[in-house]
């Protein structure tokens, strides 16, 4: 039967009494909002909340540590590199590469631990120093567990070399042995040093001891039975240690930092050729002997699960004990590449590797800059990564246009059409509020939002009517095929083209374009008077620009506008304002159209007669 998980730690919120007040909360992608409500089951209750504050509770506070952010950044590069070289790995080279990747992870972890240790030393107050020291202990435990997993699961050391790896593992993580050895060796007479007899051995003689173990084991046994060292109790004790006598080793318990130090020492002198399958037996007995009935710590349970080759239990215990998802996510990914987790799928549709990577990436998205790392982790989750990325990327606050462009580029690279459209709409709306019409039009075109492009085009036309000129001419002049996004945008582009033709004195082409804008119903009805007014200078030119047929079309448009009749299925538009200016414009247009019609008929009649 599977062991039940322990209860999660209780988080106390200052100033809030949840026994007296009803609390409400709302989950976010990386945090939770908590506040008091006015609801209370008791009739006699305070109307006003005693704590009128909203608390933000984050599930992963480690991402806000400046030193740990370096760990997240550097390990991200190792993770991405591992995913890229996966297809190229095979046979012995595969194992070598995976071991190298594991060592790279540990190297980054140790560098972060060293920096955290220096920060603890340099801390100005005891609270900060204690916080840094606590973090150093956690990082040290992480590196200890990772190193053991590397030996047992990735390198898969056989009997013989296994003990050598375990000796290096203990030596690396038990600093007292190295410092003690250094003090003894630098003294004038090492054999007379106070700590000489306290040295349990060192790796300089491990190979020689391994090769000659059987021989000196028999020699020590004989010397002990003969009473050779009866005159020197310390030599006798040393002889018993070399025979792996458990009672004698336990008497020197204060020289051994922990039970796994005791385990490796015991194996060195009693069973140096231990097989991987036998490790859990020695590990369990060493734990029991060393602790003497005390309850094991979470770290002890994790190491014991590793010695039992129970990978899933290691991951489970680490998930409960450690303060963030970094360790379990990266270790599980590496073990998955070692083909050790293939058979373990979770009941909600994703395997263990993907589940942990998704949790880790979700935590990164709660940070204002680390979210960019989270994108790559989502990318390498084949089942749920895409959906999760879409959900999280929509929640990123677009504080600046530079940040928005980063998010947009990520979405475009992954063909996330809806997210691209949503981001562009947000930026377009922001530009409109700031009266940056050119930027708003550019974003609406990029979003392929016809309705918003129409809205911005109307703003351009309204500004033109008020100011008599266009802003952002470069953008309008270079719309190209984008102007086909909406009729109003097409009209804006073509109307600007009319002005350009007029400015270049291509009057005939400009007149044809102006007339087509009205007869094709692209121009909004409210803008017809402006277009007819633009036709006035062309009607007053010395040469005839509008033909008789074109003049008749202009007259029809003017009559449609003044009488309010629908034009070609367009709904009824409001007629021109009944004021003196509008009346004067209409009269001037009628007069100019009549004169141009007469000139056009005479010109065309003369051409026909000739």
């Amino acid at each position: 039967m599977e062991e039940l998980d322990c209860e999660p730690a209780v988080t106390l919120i200052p100033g809030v009494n949840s026994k007296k007040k009803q609390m409400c909360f709302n989950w976010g992608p990386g945090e939770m909002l908590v506040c008091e409500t006015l609801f209370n089951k008791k009739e006699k209750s305070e109307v006003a909340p005693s704590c009128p504050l909203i608390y933000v509770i984050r599930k992963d506070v480690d991402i806000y540590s400046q030193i740990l952010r370096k760990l997240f950044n550097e390990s991200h590069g190792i993770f991405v590199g591992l995913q890229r070289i996966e297809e190229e790995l095979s046979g012995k080279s595969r194992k070598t590469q995976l071991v190298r990747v594991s060592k790279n992870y540990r190297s980054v972890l140790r560098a972060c631990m060293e920096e955290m240790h220096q920060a603890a030393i340099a801390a100005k107050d005891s609270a900060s120093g204690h916080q840094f020291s606590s973090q150093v202990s956690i990082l040290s435990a992480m590196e200890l567990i990772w190193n053991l997993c590397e030996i047992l699961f990735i390198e898969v050391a056989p009997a013989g070399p296994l003990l050598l790896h375990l000796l290096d593992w203990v030596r690396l993580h038990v600093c007292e042995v190295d410092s003690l050895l250094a003090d003894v060796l630098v003294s004038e007479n090492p054999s007379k040093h106070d700590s000489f007899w306290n040295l349990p051995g060192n790796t300089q003689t491990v190979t020689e001891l391994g090769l000659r173990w059987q021989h000196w084991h028999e020699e020590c046994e004989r010397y002990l039975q003969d009473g050779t060292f009866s005159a020197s109790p310390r030599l006798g004790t040393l002889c018993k240690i070399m025979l792996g006598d458990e009672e004698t080793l336990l008497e020197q318990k204060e020289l051994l930092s922990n039970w796994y130090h005791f385990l490796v020492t015991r194996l060195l002198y009693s069973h140096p050729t231990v097989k991987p399958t036998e490790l859990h037996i020695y590990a369990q007995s060493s734990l029991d002997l060393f602790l003497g009935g005390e309850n094991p710590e979470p770290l002890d349970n994790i190491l014991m699960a590793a010695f039992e080759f129970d990978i899933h239990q290691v991951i489970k215990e680490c998930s409960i004990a450690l303060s963030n998802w970094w360790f379990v996510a990266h270790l599980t990914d590496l073990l998955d590449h070692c083909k050790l987790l293939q058979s373990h799928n979770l009941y909600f549709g994703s395997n263990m590797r993907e589940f942990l990577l998704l949790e880790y990436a979700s935590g990164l998205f709660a940070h204002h800059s680390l979210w960019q790392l989270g994108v790559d982790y989502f990318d390498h989750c084949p089942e749920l990564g895409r959906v999760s990325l879409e959900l999280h990327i929509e929640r990123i606050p677009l504080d600046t246009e530079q940040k928005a462009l980063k998010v947009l580029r990520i979405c475009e690279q992954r063909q996330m059409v809806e997210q691209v459209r949503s981001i562009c709409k947000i930026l377009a709306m922001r530009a409109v509020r700031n009266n940056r019409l050119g930027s708003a039009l550019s974003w609406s075109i990029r979003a392929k939002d016809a309705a918003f492009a129409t809205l911005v085009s109307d703003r351009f036309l309204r500004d033109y009517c008020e100011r008599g000129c266009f802003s952002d001419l470069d953008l309008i002049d270079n719309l190209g095929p984008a102007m086909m996004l909406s009729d109003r945008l097409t009209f804006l582009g073509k109307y600007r083209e009319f002005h350009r033709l007029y400015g270049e004195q291509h009057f005939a082409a400009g007149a044809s374009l102006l007339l087509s804008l009205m007869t094709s119903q692209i121009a909004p009805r409210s803008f017809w008077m402006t277009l007819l007014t633009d036709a006035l200078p062309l009607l007053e030119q010395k040469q005839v620009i509008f033909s008789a047929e074109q003049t008749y079309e202009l007259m029809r448009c003017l009559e449609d506008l003044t009488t309010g009749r629908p034009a070609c299925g367009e709904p009824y538009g409001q007629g021109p304002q009944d004021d003196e200016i509008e009346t004067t414009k209409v009269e001037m247009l009628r007069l100019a159209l009549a004169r141009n019609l007469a000139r056009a008929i005479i010109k065309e009649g003369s051409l026909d007669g000739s």
Side-chain angles (χ1 to χ4, degrees), residues 225-237:
Q225 291 175 358
D226 294 345
T228 305
F229 304 122
S230 55
S232 177
R234 285 188 170 182
L235 281 175
T237 300

Side-chain angles (χ1 to χ4, degrees), residues 469-481:
C469 62
F470 282 112
S471 59
D472 299 287
L473 288 179
D474 289 342
L475 175 63
I476 301 174
D477 286 341
N478 295 282
L479 285 174

Side-chain angles (χ1 to χ4, degrees), residues 502 504-512 535-548 550-551 592-593 595-604 607:
Y502 185 86
E504 295 172 357
Q505 297 187 353
H506 298 310
F507 298 132
S512 298
L536 267 175
L538 296 174
L539 293 169
E540 298 294 339
Q541 291 290 326
K542 291 182 179 180
Q543 64 183 88
V544 178
I545 305 298
F546 289 103
S547 67
Q550 289 175 324
T551 307
L593 287 167
R595 280 204 300 254
N596 188 80
L597 179 61
R599 292 165 58 201
I601 290 173
I602 293 171
K603 179 182 178 182
E604 291 172 9
L607 291 174

Side-chain angles (χ1 to χ4, degrees), residues 208-383:
E208 184 179 355
L209 287 174
L211 294 173
R212 302 180 180 180
W213 179 83
Q214 189 65 38
H215 173 69
W216 57 254
H217 191 272
E218 293 174 355
E219 291 264 328
C220 287
E221 228 172 16
R222 190 174 66 253
Y223 290 150
L224 198 60
Q225 291 175 358
D226 294 345
T228 305
F229 304 122
S230 55
S232 177
R234 285 188 170 182
L235 281 175
T237 300
L238 181 59
C239 190
K240 290 180 181 179
I241 290 173
M242 295 179 73
L243 285 171
D245 184 71
E246 292 180 358
E247 291 184 6
T248 307
L249 285 171
L250 286 173
E251 288 173 1
Q252 309 299 321
K253 187 177 178 179
E254 69 278 359
L255 300 176
L256 301 172
S257 306
N258 41 58
W259 68 269
Y260 46 89
H261 190 183
F262 171 63
L263 165 66
V264 177
T265 304
R266 181 184 172 194
L267 289 174
L268 172 63
Y269 295 120
S270 64
H271 198 357
T273 57
V274 63
K275 297 177 182 178
T277 54
E278 300 170 339
L279 264 180
H280 71 280
I281 301 172
Y282 290 96
Q284 186 63 60
S285 61
S286 297
L287 176 65
D288 295 338
L289 286 170
F290 196 85
L291 295 183
E294 296 179 12
N295 291 327
E297 298 290 333
L299 177 59
D300 300 329
N301 294 329
I302 295 169
L303 296 178
M304 181 55 65
F307 283 122
E308 292 172 350
F309 287 85
D310 190 345
I311 297 175
H312 304 120
Q313 189 64 23
V314 171
I315 295 169
K316 175 184 173 182
E317 294 283 351
C318 289
S319 299
I320 296 171
L322 299 178
S323 58
N324 62 68
W325 295 102
W326 178 90
F327 180 85
V328 288
H330 290 86
L331 179 61
T332 304
D333 174 65
L334 183 57
L335 294 177
D336 186 72
H337 282 88
C338 297
K339 310 297 182 185
L340 296 173
L341 299 172
Q342 300 304 305
S343 61
H344 196 80
N345 291 323
L346 304 179
Y347 65 88
F348 40 81
S350 176
N351 59 38
M352 182 180 287
R353 169 192 175 272
E354 182 161 323
F355 170 76
L356 294 172
L357 287 177
L358 290 173
E359 287 294 324
Y360 175 63
S362 298
L364 292 177
F365 262 80
H367 193 268
H368 64 88
S369 64
L370 292 178
W371 64 268
Q372 298 174 75
L373 306 181
V375 173
D376 286 325
Y377 288 95
F378 281 135
D379 281 344
H380 292 98
C381 295
E383 291 186 37

Side-chain angles (χ1 to χ4, degrees), residues 196-214:
F196 177 77
W197 295 101
N198 294 337
L199 286 174
N202 62 78
T203 56
Q204 298 299 320
T205 59
V206 167
T207 304
E208 184 179 355
L209 287 174
L211 294 173
R212 302 180 180 180
W213 179 83
Q214 189 65 38

Side-chain angles (χ1 to χ4, degrees), residues 72 169 174 178 240 317 425 429 434 463 501 533 537 565:
F72 302 147
W169 173 62
V174 180
D178 284 343
K240 290 180 181 179
E317 294 283 351
K425 283 182 180 179
M429 286 294 296
N434 295 327
D463 278 9
L501 290 171
T533 306
R565 291 189 293 108

